[in-house]
Amino acid sequence: MESKRRGLYEDVPRSRRRHIFLLFRVVSNRMSRRSHPATLPSMHPSRAHSQTSHATYIPRQPSAYHLSRGRPHPIVRIPNKLLLKILAAANPGPGPGAASWSPYWVRLAAVCRHWRELILDTPQFWQKIAVGRSVQWLELCLRRSQNSPIQMSFRYPVVFDATMKVLQPFWHRVEYLSFKELDCAQFSNYVVLAPMPQLRTLIVKVKHRSHSIRDGRKHDVTGLILSLTNGTLPRLRTLDLEGLSLVGDAMALSSLRVLHLGEYASDRPLFTTAQFVTFLSSCTSLEHLIIEHNALDAVVPSPPDDRTITPVAQLGHGLRDMTVHGSAENIANLLSHVHVPAHVDLALWTRELAEERAAAAAVNMLPAGRLRRNLGILQSATRLKVDSCHEEAGVIKVTATRRPGTSGRLELSVSAPSGTGKDLNRSQARRMYYKGLVRAVPDMFPGAPLDTLVCAGDLDAISECEWRDRLLAHYPTLRTLVIDDDEYGGDAIPIFKALGTTVAQVQLGAITPVCPALEYLWIHNAEPTVKLMEEVRRCLSRRQDHRAAPLRRLRLELNPDYEKPLQDVVGYLPLFKRFVPRCELRVWRRDVDDEEMFLDTGVELPF
């Protein structure tokens, strides 16, 4: 018995073993306080009958086997209802509820005969059926589940037609159906499912191989399509596809809440842009849309001059987030014909191969010109972060959000090449990425009322003219400006020269200082020099002469270059405080590894 109990715990996670042990111990102590059944005092027959009628309040009588071995352990006399709760509490399966995937209960049923009979006769333990390569196991689990709703996951390749025949008598009870690895050679062009009125989640992943896993015959890679018709899956909420595309009528697609389109394996497109846009417009209840890998290769991009003819998909107001992976051309083509409200969290990701293409990929993912009005976040963003391979290694990222407490987020991510070009090293490539992003920001977010701007990149890559004319002059409402140098020890003089000058504001009809509403300026990891301190002093004085809003906080965190002599710049702090009430000047020590020196500015200004 002890060896069987040890076998029971082998499949239970270590984090749960102590909880199970304590639970068994509490139950055993409570049961041990009761007297042995042979020594129970006599009671009135009517009273005894009233107690025996409630099976949950009388401990189970030990079997002859246990009585022959002496006084039984209290765990043997636990009521069945309580024992089922203990077994359910030890459930390692994911998700809520007492039911776990079916193979887990097979191990517990091997502990003893009583546990076996109890587990086999409990339909709730057979609601989640994990099927390997045996269809007989599926049939056995379906019978044990009786009339309970069932969830099935096929973890290995199975014969699709034969499996559907086995499921035919139980279609009305299927709530969850997952095919993790189907062979594309089993299908010609379409995958058609039988009517399942209770199905809510469907996962179909098809693997495309050059040879069939069934008979070894060679076959061509063709585009498979899952066909949904009205009335087939009326309660379908979540649909996850990989290796095949989706078609269906408006009524069949209107119930979807989550749509995940994965890898597309065909050599030729299946849909025009107009057809794909019509398909998305039919998903009126959609909340989460994920288009991953090369799924957009199934769509033929529309010519630039045809974008006025192709309809624009009006996604439902319930849409919360949208994630799109693919080439910059395919993403821009999709967004040119889809209206994404400002409250939607939009994540765009592309992978480019050359440094020159990667530098411009972030802006190329967006629609061209006036079609950018389809993305509401581009006109309503108030917080923007430009990051060139700083926060996450090898990723160029632009993040835009709206005011705190409101929904709506745009994240543009570009996987930078792992290697470098013939004439570029890693540092030069990042400078090129950073310069390209800074120049493209005004075109990406035209007229956005930005009040917070965070730029993380090589300070030496941007000149005074580029800071002023290419970026800061376009956002007069800016209140918070953060410049973070990723090379540690960059030159911050150009940014202070730009802030100390004036520009012509066409919308105001006057000459105004750059960023006239600026209140908080934070320079992180710049090089401490006397020349920089003098430029900071001149900048503050000029902004006062130009009648700009006075800075409320100036934060200078400087990182000295190990190859240059360290200059005394701390003495400028009292001079800066004449212009800025809250002024901080900090120079990192060379001989001390300060953790704050390596912290990203996102710790204080999260995006």
Side-chain angles (χ1 to χ4, degrees):
M1 186 66 180
E2 293 297 331
S3 62
K4 292 182 178 180
R5 289 175 182 170
R6 286 195 298 269
L8 163 67
Y9 281 97
E10 289 178 359
D11 297 311
V12 179
R14 291 184 175 272
S15 60
R16 286 180 173 265
R17 291 184 183 181
R18 178 169 178 80
H19 298 83
I20 300 172
F21 173 75
L22 295 176
L23 186 59
F24 271 102
R25 186 171 182 179
V26 171
V27 174
S28 301
N29 292 338
R30 291 183 178 179
M31 297 300 297
S32 62
R33 297 193 186 102
R34 301 183 180 181
S35 303
H36 192 273
T39 62
L40 287 174
S42 60
M43 58 181 64
H44 195 272
S46 61
R47 184 178 179 185
H49 175 73
S50 63
Q51 277 206 270
T52 55
S53 61
H54 299 283
T56 57
Y57 296 98
I58 287 187
R60 180 173 58 85
Q61 296 296 331
S63 63
Y65 170 80
H66 292 104
L67 291 176
S68 63
R69 293 183 173 256
R71 184 185 177 112
H73 194 275
I75 195 64
V76 180
R77 308 201 316 262
I78 293 181
N80 291 343
K81 192 173 183 179
L82 181 57
L83 180 59
L84 291 176
K85 291 183 177 180
I86 295 176
L87 295 177
N91 166 29
S100 179
W101 294 104
S102 49
Y104 168 71
W105 303 113
V106 176
R107 300 181 181 94
L108 293 184
V111 173
C112 64
R113 184 180 64 182
H114 174 64
W115 281 29
R116 175 181 174 83
E117 294 175 354
L118 189 63
I119 291 175
L120 295 183
D121 294 339
T122 305
Q124 290 79 9
F125 289 168
W126 303 98
Q127 289 180 305
K128 297 182 179 180
I129 306 173
V131 186
R133 296 181 174 88
S134 174
V135 181
Q136 290 77 12
W137 167 253
L138 172 62
E139 297 175 346
L140 182 62
C141 293
L142 289 173
R143 290 196 300 269
R144 290 171 180 171
S145 63
Q146 299 180 13
N147 293 324
S148 302
I150 52 178
Q151 304 178 18
M152 291 176 293
S153 176
F154 297 87
R155 302 180 178 179
Y156 296 95
V158 295
V159 181
F160 185 78
D161 295 335
T163 305
M164 290 293 101
K165 290 182 180 179
V166 175
L167 293 179
Q168 185 174 1
F170 310 96
W171 282 341
H172 63 285
R173 295 197 286 119
V174 179
E175 288 187 342
Y176 177 96
L177 185 58
S178 173
F179 293 96
K180 295 296 181 65
E181 190 173 347
L182 290 176
D183 185 11
C184 67
Q186 302 184 66
F187 312 96
S188 55
N189 292 321
Y190 288 90
V191 178
V192 181
L193 295 177
M196 299 182 187
Q198 301 298 327
L199 187 65
R200 297 179 179 273
T201 301
L202 175 61
I203 301 174
V204 182
K205 298 185 179 181
V206 179
K207 299 297 181 181
H208 295 261
R209 301 177 176 87
S210 59
H211 292 76
S212 172
I213 63 174
R214 297 175 58 192
D215 49 21
R217 293 182 302 174
K218 187 175 181 179
H219 62 90
D220 297 329
V221 177
T222 58
L224 291 180
I225 300 176
L226 175 65
S227 178
L228 292 182
T229 57
N230 184 25
T232 304
L233 307 175
R235 296 191 177 183
L236 187 62
R237 299 293 184 268
T238 302
L239 182 58
D240 187 349
L241 302 179
E242 185 172 332
L244 69 167
S245 299
L246 174 66
V247 295
D249 53 35
M251 292 298 296
L253 299 174
S254 61
S255 63
L256 289 179
R257 302 291 191 274
V258 180
L259 178 58
H260 183 283
L261 300 177
E263 182 180 2
Y264 179 69
S266 178
D267 297 332
R268 59 183 182 275
L270 292 178
F271 312 105
T272 64
T273 301
Q275 291 173 336
F276 193 74
V277 166
T278 304
F279 157 74
L280 290 181
S281 300
S282 302
C283 304
T284 55
S285 302
L286 205 59
E287 297 178 359
H288 309 279
L289 175 60
I290 304 100
I291 303 177
E292 284 194 314
H293 303 297
N294 62 335
L296 288 180
D297 289 349
V299 183
V300 180
S302 296
D305 55 352
D306 189 45
R307 289 175 178 171
T308 57
I309 303 176
T310 304
V312 176
Q314 299 291 337
L315 298 180
H317 295 287
L319 187 65
R320 299 178 183 176
D321 55 77
M322 178 177 175
T323 302
V324 185
H325 291 223
S327 65
E329 179 186 5
N330 289 339
I331 294 176
N333 176 68
L334 175 64
L335 297 180
S336 298
H337 304 93
V338 175
H339 179 263
V340 183
H343 68 273
V344 177
D345 293 339
L346 180 60
L348 309 178
W349 188 292
T350 188
R351 183 180 297 275
E352 299 293 341
L353 299 178
E355 283 82 357
E356 294 78 7
R357 296 181 61 193
V363 65
N364 290 339
M365 282 190 289
L366 298 177
R370 58 184 181 81
L371 294 176
R372 293 184 181 175
R373 65 176 182 269
N374 295 338
L375 307 183
I377 185 64
L378 298 184
Q379 286 78 34
S380 61
T382 61
R383 305 172 72 245
L384 178 64
K385 183 174 183 179
V386 178
D387 198 338
S388 63
C389 306
H390 180 67
E391 179 182 350
E392 186 177 353
V395 177
I396 307 169
K397 187 176 294 185
V398 178
T399 307
T401 61
R402 301 200 296 171
R403 300 188 184 280
T406 60
S407 59
R409 173 187 175 93
L410 172 64
E411 186 173 291
L412 305 173
S413 301
V414 182
S415 295
S418 56
T420 57
K422 297 181 180 180
D423 301 327
L424 291 175
N425 56 32
R426 187 64 177 171
S427 178
Q428 291 174 334
R430 289 195 306 199
R431 289 168 60 94
M432 183 176 59
Y433 303 150
Y434 191 47
K435 180 176 292 188
L437 290 177
V438 170
R439 290 179 175 180
V441 163
D443 187 41
M444 295 168 63
F445 301 89
L450 291 184
D451 60 27
T452 301
L453 176 61
V454 179
C455 295
D458 191 356
L459 272 175
D460 299 334
I462 312 299
S463 64
E464 172 193 351
C465 179
E466 290 173 325
W467 278 121
R468 181 183 64 249
D469 301 331
R470 294 297 187 99
L471 182 62
L472 300 180
H474 296 271
Y475 301 106
T477 59
L478 204 62
R479 295 180 180 273
T480 300
L481 177 61
V482 180
I483 307 297
D484 187 5
D485 182 61
D486 61 350
E487 292 290 343
Y488 302 109
D491 186 8
I493 294 178
I495 184 66
F496 283 100
K497 285 185 176 180
L499 291 174
T501 57
T502 59
V503 292
Q505 296 291 345
V506 179
Q507 61 271 30
L508 299 179
I511 303 297
T512 62
V514 176
C515 300
L518 189 64
E519 298 178 352
Y520 180 20
L521 177 60
W522 180 8
I523 306 296
H524 186 61
N525 279 330
E527 182 183 359
T529 61
V530 174
K531 187 177 180 181
L532 173 63
M533 297 297 102
E534 289 291 336
E535 190 60 45
V536 173
R537 182 188 61 79
R538 283 194 293 267
C539 173
L540 297 177
S541 176
R542 289 171 181 172
R543 291 184 63 84
Q544 189 179 54
D545 296 339
H546 297 153
R547 298 183 179 180
L551 286 176
R552 296 184 179 181
R553 185 181 180 186
L554 175 62
R555 186 172 177 180
L556 301 175
E557 295 176 346
L558 310 179
N559 188 4
D561 191 342
Y562 283 79
E563 298 180 357
K564 298 180 181 179
L566 181 61
Q567 300 177 354
D568 186 13
V569 298
V570 183
Y572 282 85
L573 182 59
L575 183 60
F576 295 161
K577 287 186 176 181
R578 297 179 184 177
F579 302 95
V580 185
R582 295 182 57 189
C583 184
E584 305 170 41
L585 177 58
R586 184 172 184 179
V587 181
W588 308 118
R589 294 179 57 185
R590 293 181 176 180
D591 55 344
V592 177
D593 291 335
D594 198 323
E595 295 182 357
E596 295 185 11
M597 180 174 60
F598 302 99
L599 288 179
D600 188 78
T601 53
V603 176
E604 180 177 326
L605 296 173
F607 277 79

